[in-house]
Amino acid sequence: MTLPIDLKEILRQTVADGYGDLVTRRTGQAVRSGIERILSRLDGETVLIDFGSVRCLDLSCADEIVGRLLRERAQERSFVLLNVDDGHREAIEFVLERNNLAALAKTKSGELQILGTLSEPARRAFAALVRLGEATAEELAQETSLPPESAGELLEELCRLRLVLRAAGRYRAPVR
Amino acid sequence: MTRVIPVPQQFDDRTFDQFARAYSAPSPEEKVLFDAHATQWASPYGLLGLLVAGQAWLDRHKVHPLLTLPEDRDVAHYWARAGFFRYAQEFFELHGKVPKVVASGTSDVLLEVTPVREADDVHAVVDRIQDRAQTIVSHELGLEAQATMGFAMALSEACQNIVEHAGTGGWVAVQTYTWRRTLGRRVAVIAVADAGVGFRRSLEATQAKRFGDRWSDATALEAALIQGVSRFRDPGRGQGLAGIRRYVSRWSGKLSVRSGTARIAIVPPWDDDVPLADGLPDFPGSQVLLIIPAAQPAK
């Protein structure tokens, strides 16, 4: 089950009606608290955070909303950042790299990307998995010409980071 | 006796230390005159520096310093268009006629002198600048769309330094102009300044021990800009200046931060500033300058 969270709506509820920008540490803290309140009420293994109506995202907000959420909650759920544009991406990547974190983003054109810090082999494995839709370690090994053991290790690494989900021996991205 | 502090004829970051030297010179007089009658030009950095000087003088001596306006009417008009007098009259006893101006949408003043005291002010600044920044950064400077988005981010982070660390309010101003002297291109300039506690005092409680005898304005600036430390222990803190640094480096821009007796800079190839200047004349608070130049014309 996925939980969609519209940041503009959270911003409206927690800070003020008129803002379209996610800027300042205080705003980031308020929005993160709003997200955490939603998370505490709902079950679900994947959380979609929608940046579609956000104009400017500064580093302080990116740290509170993405960095801190991942630092503290990524063990519990997969977070997918929706409708991320180049401006959002710049702030989010900066925060993720500084914290040695990775996050899954879906761009406005629908492309799935991993932002932040992740090894190149794991990135290639993820890209291959997205092409396949879902796969076992053996199927991924065939697709990538990797030894099955290596493919399995990469998929497990992606699972640990909650960038990939596993069910009945098959792996898939949290969203299509 | 009234002490006279001359405002440089060309008042920008290059001549700022000359102004700071006159400001910080020991003197028994409490009556002071900031003399801008011969000033021909002032950058946003210069104008904000003048406000900081006025505020700090008033806070310390409880007497309004005098300020003579530029004799040149065009210069005084520009200062008025930049919103300088609106705040200057809080701190200075103004001598000279303040021009009345009507805000113009076509002005090269991207953001007039704007006070920053709390997070809401930062929201307002970012909100006001975004549409015009897009026009200026992409059309006038010829930079990619990504530069516009980073521009608002850098502006926001620079303003937040005041909210989070200064312990008092400050100002921001943004302008574009053609920089003929060293660059021969148009630039967008963000200036942010406050008369607050400065970097050394802001970081003292968490960082001074680590530096021991070396602790100074210069090491505090190095710690903040190069090492990304903050007075807050949260792991996500201290990235604002680092983010601005990355932004200006990416677009061949300049970042300079002055606080107390030191100035640190990320110096692009087109500029000849030094990366770190220590032992400068003492000046209150912190002054941040970002310069983003137009894209290099295709050869």
Side-chain angles (χ1 to χ4, degrees):
Chain A
M1 186 188 165
T2 55
L3 308 173
I5 294 175
D6 181 353
L7 285 178
K8 185 72 182 280
E9 180 58 20
I10 302 255
L11 189 61
R12 193 187 63 75
Q13 288 169 5
T14 55
V15 185
D17 274 354
Y19 294 147
D21 302 306
L22 283 175
V23 294
T24 79
R25 177 74 54 178
R26 190 199 64 177
T27 297
Q29 285 167 343
V31 170
R32 181 176 47 76
S33 298
I35 294 172
E36 299 226 10
R37 277 195 295 277
I38 294 175
L39 297 183
S40 68
R41 288 198 305 265
L42 296 169
D43 292 327
E45 60 182 359
T46 301
V47 182
L48 309 176
I49 300 182
D50 190 351
F51 285 79
S53 50
V54 174
R55 288 193 307 175
C56 178
L57 173 70
D58 74 4
L59 301 174
S60 304
C61 265
D63 179 63
E64 286 291 334
I65 296 168
V66 180
R68 194 152 173 190
L69 214 51
L70 288 182
R71 284 199 297 272
E72 295 175 5
R73 304 279 174 209
Q75 308 301 318
E76 304 157 18
R77 291 177 161 112
S78 291
F79 289 89
V80 183
L81 316 177
L82 294 182
N83 296 310
V84 170
D85 68 22
D86 287 346
H88 307 140
R89 184 190 167 114
E90 183 149 345
I92 292 167
E93 285 227 278
F94 182 81
V95 165
L96 293 174
E97 285 166 13
R98 272 179 67 100
N99 289 281
N100 206 22
L101 294 166
L104 186 55
K106 195 170 183 181
T107 64
K108 285 186 171 171
S109 60
E111 186 189 349
L112 278 178
Q113 297 176 340
I114 291 175
L115 309 183
T117 306
L118 187 68
S119 68
E120 265 315 304
R123 280 180 192 276
R124 284 198 293 273
F126 180 81
L129 184 64
V130 169
R131 280 198 304 276
L132 292 169
E134 64 171 50
T136 61
E138 290 72 25
E139 287 164 348
L140 187 77
Q142 277 186 346
E143 173 75 11
T144 56
S145 307
L146 282 167
E149 194 178 302
S150 303
E153 283 169 8
L154 290 171
L155 285 168
E156 282 306 308
E157 181 188 345
L158 292 166
C159 267
R160 268 197 312 279
L161 297 169
R162 292 289 208 162
L163 299 168
V164 156
L165 303 178
R166 180 184 54 220
R170 297 188 73 78
Y171 298 84
R172 63 174 175 83
V175 290
R176 298 281 170 97
Chain B
M1 283 281 285
T2 299
R3 178 176 152 206
V4 177
I5 298 177
V7 178
Q9 273 199 347
Q10 305 287 322
F11 189 25
D12 61 8
D13 53 307
R14 297 293 176 130
T15 52
F16 194 86
D17 293 337
Q18 177 189 328
F19 174 72
R21 187 169 298 110
Y23 176 86
S24 64
S27 160
E29 293 100 10
E30 286 190 355
K31 188 136 184 154
V32 67
L33 166 71
F34 289 89
D35 183 6
H37 87 276
T39 303
Q40 292 294 312
W41 184 76
S43 70
Y45 190 82
L47 291 179
L48 297 195
L50 200 47
L51 285 177
V52 166
Q55 183 188 13
W57 189 275
L58 180 59
D59 283 352
R60 192 164 150 198
H61 298 280
K62 311 297 176 205
V63 178
H64 281 82
L66 314 179
L67 171 64
T68 53
L69 272 55
E71 266 179 13
D72 187 316
R73 297 305 294 163
D74 290 343
V75 178
H77 266 88
Y78 165 68
W79 289 24
R81 278 202 316 280
F84 170 78
F85 294 118
R86 195 174 310 142
Y87 304 101
Q89 61 196 9
E90 286 179 33
F91 308 118
F92 295 101
E93 184 183 311
L94 299 176
H95 285 251
K97 196 173 174 207
V98 175
K100 287 191 168 56
V101 293
V102 180
S104 160
T106 57
S107 165
D108 51 6
V109 178
L110 247 178
L111 180 75
E112 58 193 22
V113 174
T114 303
V116 176
R117 295 186 184 90
E118 52 191 34
D120 278 344
D121 297 328
V122 181
H123 268 282
V125 163
V126 171
D127 192 56
R128 279 172 60 189
I129 197 133
Q130 281 205 97
D131 291 340
R132 290 207 66 202
Q134 192 161 7
T135 309
I136 300 291
V137 174
S138 58
H139 298 159
E140 206 168 317
L141 302 186
L143 301 177
E144 294 168 28
Q146 222 165 344
T148 309
M149 299 161 189
F151 191 83
M153 178 276 290
L155 178 67
S156 169
E157 295 296 340
C159 291
Q160 281 181 78
N161 261 328
I162 297 176
V163 177
E164 302 254 349
H165 304 289
T168 183
W171 296 273
V172 56
V174 187
Q175 199 199 333
T176 60
Y177 48 82
T178 301
W179 205 354
R180 292 189 181 84
R181 192 181 48 202
T182 52
L183 194 63
R185 275 186 265 161
R186 277 195 81 72
V187 292
V189 174
I190 297 175
V192 178
D194 65 74
V197 299
F199 278 69
R200 181 171 51 80
R201 280 182 58 197
S202 174
L203 295 174
E204 207 146 52
T206 57
Q207 302 298 322
K209 207 170 168 184
R210 188 162 70 92
F211 286 86
D213 291 345
R214 289 181 54 240
W215 183 244
S216 65
D217 289 318
T219 47
L221 285 174
E222 275 186 304
L225 187 64
I226 309 300
Q227 296 163 27
V229 303
S230 165
R231 72 189 172 99
F232 300 103
R233 294 192 188 277
D234 188 307
R237 293 303 189 111
Q239 56 196 0
L241 281 175
I244 297 173
R245 183 179 156 196
R246 183 160 95 161
Y247 174 72
V248 297
S249 301
R250 186 162 175 187
W251 303 105
S252 292
K254 178 177 179 179
L255 167 63
S256 152
V257 186
R258 192 191 197 287
S259 184
T261 57
R263 186 181 67 247
I264 194 165
I266 303 301
V267 185
W270 49 261
D271 194 66
D272 58 2
D273 200 356
V274 292
L276 182 67
D278 200 0
L280 301 174
D282 195 14
F283 197 76
S286 307
Q287 294 78 44
V288 178
L289 175 69
L290 281 85
I291 303 173
I292 308 298
Q296 189 93 271
K299 288 180 182 170

